[in-house]
Amino acid sequence: MADAITIRVNGVERTLAVDGDRNLLSVFRTELGLTGTKYGCGEGHCGACTVLLDDQAVRSCVLPVSAVGGRSITTIEGLAENGKLHPVQEAFLEVQAMQCGYCTPGQILNAVSLLRRNPRPSEPEIRDAMSGNLCRCATYVRILRAVQLASQKLSG
Amino acid sequence: MDTSGSGITRREFLGLAGGLMILIGLPRGLASAAEDAAEAEAINAWLLITPDNRVTVFSGKVEIGQGLRTSFAQMVSDELTIPFSSVEMIMGDTTRVPYDEGTFGSESTRTVGRQIRAAAATAREILANMAAEEWGVKPENLVIRDGRISLANDPSKSISLGELTQGKRITRTLKGEAGLMPASEYKVVGKPVPRVDGPAIVTGGEQFVGDIRLPGMLYGAVLYPPSFGARLTGVDTREAEKLPGVVAVVKEGEFIGVVAEREDIARSARGAIRATWQEAKPAVQASLYDNFRRTASPEDTVVDDKEVASSLSSARHSFNATYRTAYVAHSPMEPHIALADFKEGGVTVWSSTQTPFPHRDDLIKALNLEASKVRVLMPRVGGGFGGRENSDVAVAAARLSRAVKRPVMVGQTRAEELTWNYFKPAALIDVRCGVSDAGLITAWDCDIYNCGDRGAEPPYGFPKHIRTLGCDSPLAQGAWRGLAGSANTFAIESHMDEMASTLGVDPVAFRLRHLDNDPRLAKTVQAVAEKYGWKPRKAPTGQGVGFACGNDAGSCCAEIAEIDLDKATGVVHVRRVVVSHESGLVINPDGIINQIEGGITMGLGMTLREAVRYENGKILTDSFGSYRLPTTKDAPVIETVLVGNPTHPPEGAGEPPIFPIAAAVSNAIFDATGKRLRELPLSPEQVLAALRA
């Protein structure tokens, strides 16, 4: 059943004629060509599919498209503005908080969401907020450092 | 992204570019390389310098996240004195790169990396000789700097390395020792150069196999049996075939797969297939280790020092113990995935593999194709850890693509990833040791069941008798970061620690007492002790600090772990790890530190929590909810010392740091509680049981 669902994706209104039960991850990856959002588990456990719904990090693999009609979504492709990387992206690069890079988009978007609601998180708060984003390369010590660095950058 | 398909042969490809081509071969391969460079499979890498003064390096090794794309280019940049940004790496393409058995074993830098460095040095020498000849001077009258050769006494006479080649085809094969630059002259090697793929990764632009889109491509889903060993006895696919969006249901022997317009449709249609199965008699997990003993047959004798038997019987003290480690999953964040495009009797497969060439061979065999008709590409992979040597998904994609004559992508779900790939072998390790009155180990006798011999030999200079035994494994098993090394090092370093504490000797001093034979490891042990501020101690001290060390892949590693142990719940948290690592010449210090930190933190999973559970032929730990990886909450503070040894060639770093961590943590538990645990994972249940005993 195709429904017409309008979503603002990375600042652009998109009207999608898709079955509203399909998950956002699948629709973004196959219909919109936004492949920076990754499949990791399909059950909301790992965070590889994290996108921002308004300012909030959500798991796109378990979110039906019909639930986000009229809302605004940011994927990793839409985070940089006018070619300038977001401070969280800069921080991940500066700290080299990555190995295989598959989970990195989800890590970055989850960190952006954390810093929007809590600009100066403590280390335990960062550990807690980032614990749902798995990294099998286990670059966690760098991810923690990157979020701390991004917090400093954003707080000027 | 190269999506040009298989329409190019290796011979054509090699004929494309003019410039100086250096082929790097193993000694036995040199003859064949000279005769037919294009097809000589003994060539390990090649390097091309083009007139625009750029260098392209073709390597059979692949980038799994370990940073090879960056560190290989660093070496070439320095040896040729050209900018780092002028070096391009071509990896993971069976048409364009030389044969390679696969990227595993921490081998890339210490084998192909060294060869590429030598090839670059040789290219520099060849070009210097060419310039000397052309200008009628001796090579020693030339200066090579910034990618240019000039006359020492007349710098205005100068030419770039690339211009020297004049676009001609010049093929040379590396022979003998290359005149490497002294490490002191390196400008890029030894520097923490940021990874070249970083900007694409943080913007979502890095293209993994699942991100490739080909015109007209479809999605496939494979029908898996309900349990291990089940055989298909009947199948009815009519209902699945009728579903909207389904293109075909393909049956080839026991292989059944659905092809559909979308992945979710393919998976739903697979659910509509009615199949009947004859299930096998399932293995019972509770009797796993007993079954290892029952089914064991000798495999290899790893070390056979003759005096071990007599030394054991005459030893003043003896220490016998058995260690066990569980099956562990790789569970990379990107599940196995492949995209196949079968046309004109050949197939191009993009696959998330560590072993593109063995993959190609599997495809040739499974689909009965000519070797020249199969091309495997690995653009980028979301984690390897030894778990990407199987080609089942690639073969499935190729079968489906052949059947529907369109490109087909097949990806595993997380549950399939955690069920239908192979695991790190469970291990059972018996150690018997004799110690003299003077507190020196006189005999080490060890039987290793099921997991293999990697890291089996303790680095210490005492007599050893070590053998491996093969067993019936109820689960498919294979490589996992460091193979048996983490299991064997757990046994070795737990045992060393137990002997030290029983004898009342400081655990670090006890190791050093037996390391006269290995000055590199001894220095590495001293380095970590110094960094930590280690004070001689007699465990258990109640503090929860443990030490372990080991050698692997030519490198030495020593670790000190500090833990917090909750005596009410049995939960162990590793607070801090201090680690020293010596891997010869360091190409990229930040890259190595990243590997060390990742190895240790990943290792905490198998140390404390990860264990594959199974019942009735099914994997019970088939989701991230039931198979729990380490998270940010588990990450310790990690302080790393890189022990410098620049005159030693570069060695491996991907696996050595994961070897000692389990023993370091277990030894810390002993230090905290006086209780010795001998089975991985060191679960809260095991800790509580030990505390109550």
Side-chain angles (χ1 to χ4, degrees):
Chain A
M1 254 288 283
D3 307 309
I5 298 165
T6 300
I7 319 172
R8 201 170 172 79
V9 183
N10 296 330
V12 179
E13 295 261 307
R14 308 289 293 256
T15 300
L16 298 164
V18 297
D19 178 348
D21 291 339
R22 284 179 67 192
N23 67 63
L24 212 50
L25 173 67
S26 157
V27 171
F28 278 13
R29 289 184 53 81
T30 56
E31 314 297 331
L32 300 183
L34 295 171
T35 54
T37 311
K38 303 300 185 197
Y39 170 89
C41 68
E43 299 175 314
H45 282 304
C46 77
C49 67
T50 302
V51 298
L52 297 180
L53 177 59
D54 299 323
D55 278 348
Q56 197 191 344
V58 293
R59 303 289 162 95
S60 64
C61 73
V62 288
L63 200 60
V65 190
S66 58
V68 299
R71 306 279 295 274
S72 178
I73 292 192
T74 307
T75 69
I76 192 68
E77 292 91 345
L79 192 59
E81 281 183 30
N82 304 321
K84 169 131 179 61
L85 293 183
H86 186 280
V88 174
Q89 289 170 309
E90 287 176 355
F92 270 70
L93 271 184
E94 281 179 49
V95 174
Q96 295 280 289
M98 66 198 73
Q99 283 181 22
C100 81
Y102 193 80
C103 72
T104 312
Q107 302 278 0
I108 288 173
L109 289 168
N110 196 56
V112 169
S113 171
L114 163 67
L115 295 173
R116 281 185 187 165
R117 67 178 185 273
N118 182 359
R120 290 169 183 270
S122 66
E123 191 191 305
E125 283 171 337
I126 299 173
R127 283 180 184 267
D128 194 50
M130 297 299 293
S131 67
N133 283 72
L134 299 177
C135 170
R136 187 49 157 170
C137 305
T139 62
Y140 296 123
V141 296
R142 285 169 184 250
I143 291 170
L144 294 174
R145 275 213 320 269
V147 178
Q148 287 168 333
L149 177 62
S151 166
Q152 289 164 18
K153 283 172 178 276
L154 284 159
S155 306
Chain B
M1 174 60 51
D2 180 358
T3 50
S4 59
S6 57
I8 179 174
T9 67
R10 175 177 286 205
R11 190 182 294 271
E12 283 163 0
F13 165 70
L14 280 171
L16 288 179
L20 175 64
M21 175 80 93
I22 304 285
L23 305 169
I24 314 159
L26 297 169
R28 65 176 170 76
L30 290 179
S32 63
E35 284 159 23
D36 186 354
E39 294 306 323
E41 300 246 308
I43 304 265
N44 302 104
W46 48 66
L47 180 150
L48 178 69
I49 304 172
T50 42
D52 58 358
N53 222 21
R54 293 185 62 84
V55 180
T56 311
V57 182
F58 301 84
S59 158
K61 296 295 177 195
V62 292
E63 174 68 61
I64 318 173
Q66 76 283 50
L68 288 187
R69 207 171 264 289
T70 308
S71 56
F72 279 9
Q74 285 179 260
M75 291 189 269
V76 172
S77 163
D78 267 346
E79 286 293 348
L80 284 168
T81 74
I82 59 161
F84 174 72
S85 58
S86 297
V87 184
E88 188 189 359
M89 294 296 310
I90 304 289
M91 310 174 98
D93 176 346
T94 59
T95 291
R96 295 196 295 165
V97 306
Y99 181 87
D100 185 86
E101 61 180 347
T103 302
F104 44 68
S106 299
E107 290 289 330
S108 301
T109 299
R110 58 200 304 253
T111 59
V112 174
R114 288 187 200 174
Q115 290 166 347
I116 286 173
R117 184 166 68 131
T122 303
R124 176 169 39 78
E125 283 178 4
I126 291 169
L127 289 165
N129 288 334
M130 284 168 63
E133 201 170 309
E134 196 167 313
W135 294 341
V137 298
K138 290 185 171 156
E140 37 291 16
N141 296 330
L142 300 174
V143 174
I144 306 177
R145 203 164 49 206
D146 301 329
R148 298 188 73 81
I149 299 183
S150 46
L151 275 180
N153 56 10
D154 179 12
S156 67
K157 182 110 176 137
S158 148
I159 186 167
S160 82
L161 300 178
E163 284 162 353
L164 253 178
T165 68
Q166 298 178 321
K168 281 184 298 201
R169 279 284 302 179
I170 310 164
T171 303
R172 300 287 168 89
T173 303
L174 181 58
K175 293 192 178 83
E177 289 291 303
L180 296 172
M181 266 188 199
S184 57
E185 285 186 29
Y186 283 145
K187 295 185 172 122
V188 186
V189 165
K191 298 289 187 310
V193 174
R195 5 181 357 126
V196 291
D197 44 16
I201 289 172
V202 301
T203 52
E206 189 71 16
Q207 202 169 33
F208 293 80
V209 171
D211 304 334
I212 301 171
R213 299 289 175 264
L214 296 181
M217 69 182 272
L218 299 167
Y219 295 83
V222 176
L223 183 70
Y224 288 100
S227 59
F228 294 123
R231 303 297 305 265
L232 187 71
T233 54
V235 64
D236 178 351
T237 61
R238 283 170 296 182
E239 215 157 296
E241 284 161 19
K242 279 186 229 153
L243 289 173
V246 171
V247 175
V249 179
V250 178
K251 288 174 270 186
E252 293 183 11
E254 289 203 19
F255 171 83
I256 297 176
V258 181
V259 184
E261 299 287 343
R262 291 204 318 258
E263 187 174 62
D264 54 325
I265 297 172
R267 288 178 181 161
S268 317
R270 174 180 58 183
I273 294 173
R274 294 202 189 121
T276 51
W277 304 85
Q278 172 148 25
E279 300 203 45
K281 187 169 174 271
V284 178
Q285 185 156 22
S287 44
L288 174 70
Y289 297 109
D290 291 341
N291 282 340
F292 281 169
R293 278 195 203 287
R294 198 173 49 75
T295 62
S297 59
E299 252 172 9
D300 284 323
T301 301
V302 181
V303 192
D304 190 10
D305 294 333
K306 298 300 173 203
E307 63 269 44
V308 166
S310 61
S311 298
L312 267 184
S313 55
S314 62
R316 179 75 174 81
H317 313 275
S318 50
F319 294 89
N320 304 337
T322 296
Y323 300 87
R324 295 174 179 83
T325 71
Y327 288 104
V328 176
H330 305 85
S331 201
M333 293 313 297
E334 175 197 37
H336 284 59
I337 188 165
L339 167 63
D341 187 9
F342 196 102
K343 57 186 173 203
E344 292 154 20
V347 68
T348 301
V349 179
W350 292 262
S351 180
S352 62
T353 176
Q354 292 173 245
T355 52
F357 284 92
H359 241 57
R360 183 192 63 173
D361 297 342
D362 289 350
L363 285 157
I364 290 167
K365 207 170 153 193
L367 279 79
N368 194 22
L369 295 170
E370 282 173 46
S372 63
K373 296 279 191 186
V374 181
R375 181 182 188 185
V376 175
L377 296 107
M378 199 295 267
R380 180 81 205 182
V381 69
F385 319 112
R388 299 209 192 251
E389 296 177 15
N390 53 337
S391 54
D392 316 336
V393 171
V395 169
R399 281 186 198 284
L400 295 175
S401 175
R402 179 170 65 180
V404 300
K405 300 183 174 62
R406 283 167 71 178
V408 177
M409 183 176 280
V410 177
Q412 289 185 324
T413 64
R414 179 56 51 186
E416 288 161 6
E417 168 66 41
L418 283 166
T419 301
W420 295 105
N421 297 301
Y422 54 90
F423 300 99
K424 174 184 196 277
L428 176 76
I429 301 169
D430 291 331
V431 185
R432 294 167 290 275
C433 251
V435 178
S436 71
D437 264 335
L440 284 170
I441 298 168
T442 55
W444 176 278
D445 185 22
C446 180
D447 286 338
I448 299 163
Y449 293 79
N450 191 56
C451 70
D453 65 359
R454 180 89 172 264
E457 186 176 356
Y460 309 104
F462 42 65
K464 299 151 196 154
H465 174 256
I466 300 167
R467 57 177 193 151
T468 57
L469 299 100
C471 309
D472 288 354
S473 170
L475 304 183
Q477 54 184 27
W480 192 94
R481 201 171 190 173
L483 296 164
S486 50
N488 282 321
T489 306
F490 171 61
I492 294 165
E493 288 296 290
S494 295
H495 214 68
M496 290 296 289
D497 203 70
E498 178 160 2
M499 291 188 281
S501 62
T502 307
L503 298 168
V505 181
D506 171 66
V508 171
F510 188 66
R511 264 78 164 197
L512 289 172
R513 181 186 283 186
H514 294 93
L515 275 179
D516 288 346
N517 58 306
D518 190 340
R520 284 180 64 209
L521 181 57
K523 191 177 171 193
T524 306
V525 168
Q526 282 155 344
V528 80
E530 188 179 324
K531 171 84 176 173
Y532 183 81
W534 183 269
K535 302 270 189 313
R537 51 177 40 226
K538 198 181 149 208
T541 66
Q543 293 170 350
V545 180
F547 170 88
C549 63
N551 289 337
D552 178 57
S555 293
C556 311
C557 186
E559 295 171 2
I560 296 172
E562 285 181 357
I563 63 158
D564 294 314
L565 188 151
D566 183 331
K567 288 187 173 164
T569 62
V571 171
V572 172
H573 174 70
V574 179
R575 186 172 65 229
R576 177 181 176 222
V577 177
V578 180
V579 49
S580 61
H581 198 264
E582 199 262 85
S583 51
L585 174 71
V586 170
I587 310 300
N588 188 324
D590 192 59
I592 290 191
I593 292 170
N594 201 344
Q595 285 298 309
I596 292 169
E597 291 169 348
I600 288 171
T601 311
M602 180 186 185
L604 291 177
M606 61 152 200
T607 298
L608 295 172
R609 200 154 68 206
E610 287 177 45
V612 174
R613 288 182 291 111
Y614 54 93
E615 190 176 86
N616 296 324
K618 293 181 178 63
I619 296 295
L620 302 177
T621 43
D622 68 349
S623 81
F624 282 137
S626 51
Y627 192 84
R628 289 173 52 234
L629 306 186
T631 76
T632 42
K633 288 184 179 175
D634 302 299
V637 172
I638 300 176
E639 296 163 36
T640 305
V641 194
L642 296 183
V643 181
N645 191 2
T647 56
H648 186 98
E651 300 281 10
E655 294 164 326
I658 208 169
F659 282 36
I661 188 63
V665 172
S666 189
N667 296 342
I669 293 174
F670 177 80
D671 188 53
T673 64
K675 302 290 182 184
R676 177 69 56 187
L677 305 186
R678 294 194 175 86
E679 181 170 344
L680 298 184
L682 306 165
S683 62
E685 296 75 22
Q686 207 195 149
V687 171
L688 285 179
L691 288 174
R692 289 191 194 112

